[in-house]
Amino acid sequence: MADNTAEQTRRSPDPRRRSQRARNAILDAAAELLGEVGYSKLTMEAIAARARVGKQTIYRWWPSKAAVVFDVFTRLTGATAGAPLPDTGDLAADLKTVFRATADEFADPETDRTTRAFTAEIQHDEELARAVTERLVEPNNRAVRDRLSSGRAVGQIAPDADLELAAEMLSGPINHRWLLRTGPLTHEYVDRLVDTVLRGLRP
């Protein structure tokens, strides 16, 4: 009897694995459909059908399709919002490393498509806008401010520098160039941007 029970336990699927497979299938389906039909025509019903799950399964984790798309984006980037920036002692090099990676993310077609979808949506979805700010924008800006703060502590930045504004001066031009397609987002551009901003912050 004990042997039969052990055998059944080995054969029974782990609910956590099954749940994770369903979650991944939903995100995969949303990413595929986003590329095929765009955000405006994307529906929860279509996502459920493509993922082969019930619509209620999607609502177990996400309140809206905008929330699903936001998580598609965060999975694509593979980065944890607000993760500390590298601190090698070379402020310019550390900032260039981080913002070069940002430029590379924007250059990826799937990331670009997904980001543009929820960027458009936040213009008239206040709930999504708050979520993006709280879960992505502010944590990342805080991480940049923290790295600038450590640079200021060792005399690399003027003691009275406005770090919040400085962080926006670094990320803002990158977002502007990407959003309006005013020019290529290259590593050379990022390096020039970092060097220009830091020149203005020197003691």
Side-chain angles (χ1 to χ4, degrees):
M1 186 67 158
D3 289 343
N4 290 339
T5 301
E7 181 65 22
Q8 289 175 358
T9 300
R10 283 194 297 270
R11 291 181 178 178
S12 297
D14 186 335
R16 290 172 298 181
R17 290 185 180 179
R18 189 168 62 245
S19 178
Q20 188 59 47
R21 282 198 298 269
R23 185 181 176 90
N24 288 338
I26 292 165
L27 292 174
D28 288 341
E32 292 169 4
L33 288 166
L34 191 64
E36 294 170 12
V37 304
Y39 183 86
S40 63
K41 294 182 180 179
L42 182 67
T43 65
M44 295 295 245
E45 290 80 6
I47 295 172
R50 178 69 62 92
R52 297 184 178 180
V53 300
K55 193 164 66 170
Q56 70 275 11
T57 300
I58 302 178
Y59 283 112
R60 185 186 308 162
W61 291 304
W62 297 280
S64 66
K65 71 172 183 177
V68 178
V69 171
F70 180 74
D71 276 0
V72 168
F73 168 78
T74 57
R75 188 180 69 162
L76 281 172
T77 61
T80 302
L85 271 62
D87 190 346
T88 65
D90 186 333
L91 178 60
D94 293 341
L95 292 173
K96 289 174 183 178
T97 295
V98 170
F99 286 108
R100 281 181 174 187
T102 300
D104 290 342
E105 288 172 1
F106 281 143
D108 177 77
E110 189 174 3
T111 304
D112 176 84
R113 180 175 62 244
T114 305
T115 309
R116 289 186 185 280
F118 77 73
T119 298
E121 185 66 11
I122 64 176
Q123 305 309 309
H124 52 83
D125 187 329
E126 293 185 6
E127 183 178 353
L128 178 62
R130 283 194 298 272
V132 171
T133 298
E134 293 172 1
R135 293 174 53 189
L136 182 67
V137 177
E138 179 50 33
N140 285 339
N141 281 344
R142 184 168 57 249
V144 174
R145 292 197 302 270
D146 288 345
R147 182 62 188 91
L148 292 171
S149 180
S150 64
R152 184 171 62 182
V154 296
Q156 295 173 328
I157 291 178
D160 61 346
D162 185 331
L163 300 188
E164 183 173 356
L165 180 58
E168 292 181 352
M169 290 168 63
L170 287 163
S171 61
I174 294 174
N175 291 324
H176 177 272
R177 177 168 282 216
W178 165 77
L179 183 62
L180 299 183
R181 307 182 195 272
T182 58
L185 268 179
T186 63
H187 288 186
E188 179 187 7
Y189 171 77
V190 168
D191 291 352
R192 287 191 290 113
L193 172 64
V194 170
D195 288 339
T196 299
V197 172
L198 290 183
R199 274 198 299 271
L201 297 173
R202 286 174 185 165

